[in-house]
Amino acid sequence: MTKTFAINAGSSSLKFQLFEMPAETVIAKGLVERIGIGDSIFKIEYGDDQEFKTVEDIADHGRAVEILFEKLKEFKIIEDLEEITGVGHRVVAGGEFFKDSTVVTEDVIKKVEELAEFAPLHNPAEALVMREFQKRLPNAHMVAVFDTSFHTTMPAVNYLYSLPYEYYEKFGARRYGAHGTSHRYVSRRAAEIVGKPIEELKIITCHLGNGGSITAVDGGKSIDTSMGFTPLAGITMGTRTGDIDASLIPFLMDKLNITDVNEMINIFNKQSGLLGISGVSSDMRDVEIAAYEGNERAQLALEIFDNRVQKYIGQYIAAMNGVDVIVFTAGIGENSKEERENILKGITWFGIELDPERNDTRKEAIISADNSKVTVINIPTNEEVEIARDVERLK
């Protein structure tokens, strides 16, 4: 048995799980929030439902990693750092360079830093955390797991924009997608649940959270996905617009007297989506409550969200010339039976029949009726275990 870390560094956060492998037993898990913001929160769960939480100022990711290792020793989760033999790091943007997870080297870290132009809030933090773990675990086997790598199987007809081709050749202007580790995990798990080789299945995976994306998985490979050059594209999200007409950018900049395009993009990323339409919240739970209480804008936000998901499911049924399985996952997908029902009731023409009793769950379950022509499954995502598996695979 060995111990393997799965690390997910965000712009101001650090999530972690420590596994005993290959049993995939979770030894400890937790997160650090508000890094560099003030009143940072460090939380760790371990042992027999033991938990520790503290609030203090954590200036940067380096200090966050330092506290993590201090607590691992203090709570006797590990006795010696040499017990940790593997570390998997989630990286948002791998561009066209990384078509699979890869062993971390100095060149890999430098390339992750170079790719920061595709994920400026995430890649720099992820590179920094890799270096911090290298300092403390110089003998551990480290692997970078890229959000984009699952989508590198997309054909050019799906990843290219209808721009001058030289923009792709010179600048890498194309669709990259995101949430690839989640889409990979739930599509493989779906094949196991239905008991068929994934190579024989056409699967649509719906990762619906504060950020959301839909992916067409044909024969185990991503052939199309809703997010684009950045995670701004695709369906309506918590605070993101999803797909828009690019001409809205100069139009709104003129109307709002905005001169910096980044300010406009910030509005699209952080003030739009469910929040912008409803005026209530970016959290689906809050929007659902407001709609139930009669807030018309909140109800409209729900309808727009459902509509955009339905459209992508329909697109991908056409792209694959059929579908065998539809998967719901992530915060909204896993937990909102109402949203799953509302989305599916608009696409029953394809022979999709939901079982209301089966749908009343937040756990892994087939939620479609026995007579449904398409199997619908609720699968809580587990990106961390997928990351840990890649560490084992690449040893």
Side-chain angles (χ1 to χ4, degrees), residues 12-263:
S12 60
S13 64
L14 180 70
K15 297 179 184 178
F16 57 87
Q17 284 196 31
L18 182 62
F19 291 92
E20 189 173 83
M21 298 296 286
E24 299 181 356
T25 304
V26 178
I27 302 169
K29 64 179 179 179
L31 74 159
V32 190
E33 298 178 279
R34 296 178 57 86
I35 297 171
I37 297 173
D39 292 330
S40 311
I41 300 168
F42 177 92
K43 179 180 178 180
I44 186 168
E45 300 173 24
Y46 62 99
D48 299 321
D49 297 324
Q50 293 161 280
E51 183 177 309
F52 172 82
K53 180 179 178 181
T54 184
V55 178
E56 61 179 275
D57 289 347
I58 300 175
D60 53 37
H61 285 77
R63 176 57 183 154
V65 174
E66 186 177 7
I67 294 173
L68 170 58
F69 279 92
E70 288 173 359
K71 298 307 178 186
L72 289 176
K73 298 292 289 290
E74 179 182 338
F75 300 140
K76 301 188 184 304
I77 298 168
I78 59 170
E79 297 293 335
D80 191 293
L81 292 181
E82 292 298 320
E83 296 174 33
I84 302 171
T85 60
V87 184
H89 295 271
R90 178 240 186 174
V91 182
V92 168
E96 292 190 300
F97 295 98
F98 299 105
K99 299 185 183 300
D100 191 6
S101 301
T102 189
V103 175
V104 173
T105 63
E106 180 59 27
D107 286 343
V108 168
I109 296 176
K110 287 180 179 178
K111 184 59 69 176
V112 169
E113 291 170 331
E114 289 175 21
L115 290 165
E117 63 181 330
F118 298 112
L121 297 179
H122 292 85
N123 271 42
E126 289 151 359
L128 187 154
V129 169
M130 285 184 202
R131 295 190 192 281
E132 292 294 331
F133 270 82
Q134 281 185 325
K135 291 176 189 176
R136 292 165 177 81
L137 301 172
N139 298 320
H141 178 72
M142 294 200 190
V143 170
V145 181
F146 298 90
D147 264 8
T148 50
S149 65
F150 184 60
H151 300 304
T152 58
T153 54
M154 287 193 293
V157 68
N158 289 334
Y159 71 67
L160 283 179
Y161 292 112
S162 301
L163 294 167
Y165 191 77
E166 64 188 84
Y167 297 172
Y168 163 64
E169 292 180 302
K170 292 180 179 179
F171 313 123
R174 53 159 286 179
R175 176 180 284 109
Y176 290 101
H179 298 139
T181 307
S182 175
H183 289 294
R184 179 171 54 141
Y185 171 81
V186 297
S187 60
R188 290 177 178 180
R189 182 67 191 129
E192 292 172 355
I193 291 170
V194 299
K196 293 183 179 179
I198 195 169
E199 292 79 12
E200 298 176 6
L201 294 171
K202 297 176 180 181
I203 304 172
I204 296 174
T205 50
C206 303
H207 180 107
L208 307 179
N210 195 265
S213 61
I214 319 294
T215 295
V217 183
D218 195 352
K221 296 180 179 180
S222 169
I223 63 142
D224 207 349
T225 193
S226 60
M227 283 183 168
F229 179 69
T230 73
L232 179 57
I235 64 170
T236 299
M237 295 172 245
T239 61
R240 299 177 198 153
T241 58
D243 295 335
I244 61 163
D245 184 336
S247 296
L248 271 172
I249 297 174
F251 173 81
L252 289 175
M253 288 179 69
D254 179 61
K255 297 295 183 183
L256 297 169
N257 294 317
I258 291 173
T259 56
D260 184 353
V261 69
N262 290 316
E263 185 179 346

Side-chain angles (χ1 to χ4, degrees), residues 217-367:
V217 183
D218 195 352
K221 296 180 179 180
S222 169
I223 63 142
D224 207 349
T225 193
S226 60
M227 283 183 168
F229 179 69
T230 73
L232 179 57
I235 64 170
T236 299
M237 295 172 245
T239 61
R240 299 177 198 153
T241 58
D243 295 335
I244 61 163
D245 184 336
S247 296
L248 271 172
I249 297 174
F251 173 81
L252 289 175
M253 288 179 69
D254 179 61
K255 297 295 183 183
L256 297 169
N257 294 317
I258 291 173
T259 56
D260 184 353
V261 69
N262 290 316
E263 185 179 346
M264 195 72 248
I265 296 299
N266 188 63
I267 291 171
F268 289 166
N269 267 309
K270 297 183 179 180
Q271 299 176 34
S272 303
L274 293 176
L275 173 63
I277 299 164
S278 72
V280 172
S281 174
S282 63
D283 191 308
M284 176 64 78
R285 293 166 293 188
D286 297 334
V287 179
E288 286 178 333
I289 291 169
Y292 179 78
E293 293 174 347
N295 186 310
E296 293 183 3
R297 279 178 54 186
Q299 181 60 40
L300 178 61
L302 295 179
E303 292 173 3
I304 290 174
F305 177 86
D306 298 339
N307 171 273
R308 303 307 190 262
V309 175
Q310 290 165 347
K311 285 180 177 178
Y312 266 101
I313 291 175
Q315 284 185 48
Y316 292 160
I317 291 174
M320 295 190 292
N321 194 25
V323 62
D324 301 302
V325 181
I326 295 174
V327 176
F328 287 95
T329 193
I332 298 168
E334 295 170 21
N335 296 304
S336 179
K337 65 179 181 180
E338 294 83 6
E339 283 310 300
R340 293 194 297 261
E341 179 181 355
N342 290 336
I343 289 166
L344 293 175
K345 72 169 55 170
I347 51 175
T348 55
W349 186 87
F350 298 106
I352 300 166
E353 295 292 338
L354 190 67
D355 184 307
E357 291 186 9
R358 292 176 181 175
N359 187 43
D360 189 10
T361 184
R362 295 184 176 186
K363 297 180 180 179
E364 181 178 282
I366 292 176
I367 59 175

